[in-house]
Every structure is written in structure tokens, then in C-alpha cells.
Amino acid sequence: MQSQTPLKKQILNQLENTELSATLKQKSQVLQLYQRFGFQLVWFKRSKLTPAGQALIQAIKETAVVRAPQLPYHAYDILYQRHTLRTQPDAIIALDILLSDGFLSYAKDVLTGKILPNQNEPDHPVIWRTSATESADRRSNRQTREQLLSILDSKLSPQELETLISQDLTPAHPGYLGLRRALEHYLQLAQTGTWYPLTPGAELKMGDSHPQVSEVKARLSQLGDYDIYKRPVSDSSALMIQQSNQALRDFNAPLNHPANAPTEFSEYFDLTLSTALKHFQRRHNLEANGKLNDATRAQLNVPPQSRIRQIAMNMKRWRYLPANLGQRYIMANMADYRLRVIDHGKTTLDMDIIVGRQSRRTPILVQTLKTLVLNPSWNIPPRIARTTYLPKAIKSPAYLQKQNIEIVQGFGRKRTIIDPFELDWENIDIKKFPYRLEQKPGARNSLGQVKFPLNNDFAIFLHDTSKPHLFNKPVKALSSGCVRLEKPHQLTEELLKYNPGWDKRRISKVHRRKKTMYIGLKRETPVYLMYWTAWVDEQGTLQFRDDIYQRDLLSPNPASISM
């Protein structure tokens, strides 16, 4: 019988005879993992966490916090023991085992898609239901998943283990990493004990003096908006700004003005504060007027714990996306009502969009745009036909003709058009309407002059609109689910620039003919319909938006998490 090393005995004892053993979720697989590692510690070397161990703790922390207060993956115990870690072997072994069990549970959740922010909504599907086609990149991802499932069948080196966690099990997109830095900032802010809500009050503006002005300056310094403290989001020293003795100087006011008093934060509303407030308002989608009003106070009063949950939830949404977004792709953010075309890392087109209203929410989709349709007809979905058009047709059959809508039966050679005046509307049950409605191309067509089809189960696509005035509304969740484009013609030109001969003049000529034309794209383009209420923009600024679809589901009492 092979003798056991002291370390092997200690690991087996911890796995079999301690209270720790009862808490393990993957006990048999943890034992198998240590067998593959020759009963050496997996996450420690010379009593110090390895880079793989540090990467795992980071992944567990940022993933688990969104599920507070029931934190998975032993997050509470791991983070607590990390900060109170003693050098005794038993303590290190116990933490190593917890990390191993947390790692296996985390990997399992990633590989099965459980970690995705899916609330089991019919319009909020998991990733493998968002695409009917499988690109080479996605096939590669699937193969990677199959390889990762064999983790326990081979011994990974420390470097391979770190790569597995940091690149294969965790998104590496710049957007994800930017939110990671923001999350660290808010986790630190939540622990300072210096956050408290601002009291309601009158509107304050530049030139005013008020005790709350100094509070707002301190708050904006904590959040990184106060211009004289230009520190990165992750700089924890900005959190302790209350201890700073640096005096402010308003060069637009006389030296004897209260604004230049040698105090930490004066009560004078100066130009610096107005500028900082505008910056804060812009990144929260408020009117950037530089005034402290009720709407601005409300955003300043969102507690750090709520922002932690919001940021962590939006980090999870990056897991919907493939590792390689493509050289050219379309990225839409429903919560921001914005769509951008990215070509080789640069934004070539930026526009407003209108998305589905609350009752008909636009789903998260990851798809590939292969064709576009000029002068499209509209096959009206049965749900919209039943709720919008048929009730009006019952009152007046002429309504359908005015809207350029035909009642159609059959397809292809068997396609026939039904005269609306010949139907017995009084005895028609619109819930069992046997025909379909089609709106012909033209000025009244709800899809406008161009349609961008996407292959999905929800009949969701991008399109022009016959009601461009709706883009002037501040809230643009107005459609029946599809995405209306502010600049559809510019997008058409952008997508067809790789199709020889399709210039602006030729596109206009087709529009004038009002005949439907399908055009295959020489360069297929990935389309990502995403939902981000928190993200870091191209300038490195953390942005927040209202949760228009209530998909963040923030807990009213989110738990704090120790750093």
C-alpha cells in the first residue's frame, strides 16, 4: 500500500472528517481534482494564493454578489477566510478545498448556462436559444465547452488553470473588464460607511450657498465626477476624500468670496460643482443643466449596494456574447435606446432606436444579419393583427384599405386576396381569424422603406418606420417588439458598401420603384440586441440607465460583500 504524504493526509482528513466536508457541493469531484493534482494544493503555493487562485476569487466575487443574500460558491466564507487567513496549514488547506468546490460549481454553472441572467421570461432567452444558426466562432465555443467538461480528466498546470478561469470561464471583453473596475469601486465605497442619502430640498444652482452643497461635492468626489479629483474609478483613495485637507479655489470669484474659504468642501455652489453635476447628469441620462434638482438627488441617493447588484447583473449579460464579436458588428442597447455599427473597433454609425413597450418587450438576441429588404411588405404577426387591426376592421372594413393592408390566404401560387367587404365581420372570431394580414410597400407601411431580417422565434427584426416623430420622445419603449431605426438609410448604405455597385443612387432608384427587393450581404454582420443598464463607454465613463423592463430585479436589501 502506497504511503500517504502529510499533505495528502491533511487534505483527506479535511474532506472526510470535518465540518467543512458537509458544506461541499461537489465533494466527489473535489477529491478527483486533488487526485489529478497529486494531492498538492491547487490554489496556493508557499502559503500564498497563486494567480489562478486570485482569478478564481475575483470571478466568484463578481458573479456571486448578484445573488445576494444567498451567495453561491462559498463566497462569504472564501472572502472572509482570505482576509483573516493565518499561515497554519489547516487554515490554508481548508480555504484551498473551499476554492476547489467553488471552482467546480462555478465552472458547472458557466458551462450549463445557469450563470446567465435568465429570469425564465419568454422574451429573455438563454444564449443557445437566441440563434438558429451556428457560426464558426460559436462552433469553436461549443468545442471549448466540451473540452472544459473534461477538466477532471487531465492535470492542468497553474498557468493553464489561470487561463481557464480568466479567459474561458469569464468574459474578457473590454466592456466586462470596465464593469469589473466599477464594481470594485462600489464594493469599496459600500465599506467606507461614509454614504448616506441626501435630504430633499429646494433646487440649487451655481451661485447659491447651502449646507447641502458641501455634501454633494463630497458625494460627487466619491463617485468620480468632481473635476478637481481626476482619479480612475478603481482608485480607493478617492473614497476617503472626507479626510483630504486640500482647499478649493474658485478663480471666478473674489479671493474674499466664501468659495475660496480654506475648508475641505465649501457650501458655495461654484462652477466646478456645476460642471461636475453636468457630467453626473449626462451619465445618468438626466438633463445636463448643472443644477441640483429632485431628479439628480434621486440618482445621487441610489445606495452603493444597489449599484453593486446592478453592475454585477450587467456583467453577467456579457456572457450572452461570443468571445469574438467580429470585425464588423451591430450593437444595440435597449435600455439606452441606442444602436451602433462597429467596424474594426471604430464606431461608423450611431443612432437612436425605438424598442418594444413593456407589454411587448424586445428580447435579447444574438444573431447574424445576412440580407436586407428594400420596399418590404409587412406580414402582420397574428398577435398584432388581433389586438390592433382586426378590431378596427370589424367596425369599418374600409380601414384595412386605407392602411394599404390586404387579407391574404395561402402562399405562392395558392395565394389569394380576400375582399374585406365580403367577410361576415359580425360573426368572425378574431381569436380564430383564418387569414393573415399583409401591408403592401408604400408610405403607410409600418416597416418604412427597409427591413433588416433576423432569424429568431419571436419575429423580431430591425426596420425603418413611417412614424419618425416618435424619436423625439424621451422614452422610446413604444414598439410591438421590433427595433425601429432612426437612420435606416444610412445603415443600408453602411451594410451595402461591400456589395459592388450598390451605391446611394442605386438604392434610391429601387425605392422609387416601390417593388420589394431582397439583397444578400457580401459581408454578413453579427447583430447583438443587448440590455445594459450599466456599462463603461468608449471614453471610460461609467453609464447608468433606467431599468425599463425591470430585468435587473434588484433586491430591496442587497447584502454587502467583504473585499
Side-chain angles (χ1 to χ4, degrees), residues 492-504:
T492 300
E493 295 170 20
E494 177 70 23
L495 293 173
L496 289 179
K497 68 182 182 182
Y498 296 109
N499 282 45
W502 279 101
D503 55 13
K504 187 174 182 179

Side-chain angles (χ1 to χ4, degrees), residues 392-403 405-407 417-426 428 433 435:
K392 296 178 181 178
I394 290 175
K395 294 179 180 180
S396 174
Y399 169 78
L400 295 180
Q401 291 183 332
K402 291 179 181 179
Q403 298 298 319
I405 294 174
E406 295 177 330
I407 301 175
I417 298 174
I418 309 298
D419 188 339
F421 293 97
E422 294 181 359
L423 293 179
D424 184 8
W425 290 101
E426 292 184 359
I428 282 181
F433 193 66
Y435 313 110

Side-chain angles (χ1 to χ4, degrees), residues 14-68:
Q14 291 269 18
L15 285 173
E16 297 172 2
N17 304 314
T18 64
E19 293 181 3
L20 171 64
S21 176
T23 68
L24 301 180
K25 306 294 185 182
Q26 317 285 338
K27 184 177 177 180
S28 61
Q29 293 170 312
V30 168
L31 176 60
Q32 189 176 352
L33 182 64
Y34 281 106
Q35 289 173 338
R36 293 298 179 185
F37 272 78
F39 283 97
Q40 299 296 312
L41 296 182
V42 180
W43 311 103
F44 282 88
K45 185 176 183 180
R46 298 188 183 93
S47 300
K48 292 185 179 181
L49 275 170
T50 64
Q54 295 173 11
L56 176 60
I57 289 177
Q58 178 68 40
I60 286 177
K61 179 172 62 176
E62 64 198 22
T63 304
V65 70
V66 78
R67 288 162 63 179

Side-chain angles (χ1 to χ4, degrees), residues 3 33 37 69 80 85 108 155 158 163 167 196 216 221 228 242 255 259 380 404 447 482 505 531 538 546:
S3 62
L33 182 64
F37 272 78
Y80 176 77
L85 185 62
K108 180 180 178 181
K155 180 179 177 181
T163 300
Q167 299 183 21
Y196 51 89
V216 174
S221 294
I228 64 169
Q242 287 79 0
L255 285 174
I380 301 175
N404 211 16
L447 306 188
C482 289
R505 183 177 179 180
Y531 185 83
E538 292 175 326
D546 290 340

Side-chain angles (χ1 to χ4, degrees), residues 150-178:
S150 65
I151 290 171
L152 298 177
D153 293 331
S154 60
K155 180 179 177 181
L156 297 171
S157 69
Q159 293 77 14
E160 291 171 331
L161 196 57
E162 181 188 3
T163 300
L164 175 69
I165 296 167
S166 300
Q167 299 183 21
D168 295 325
L169 296 178
T170 306
H173 301 97
Y176 183 92
L177 300 179

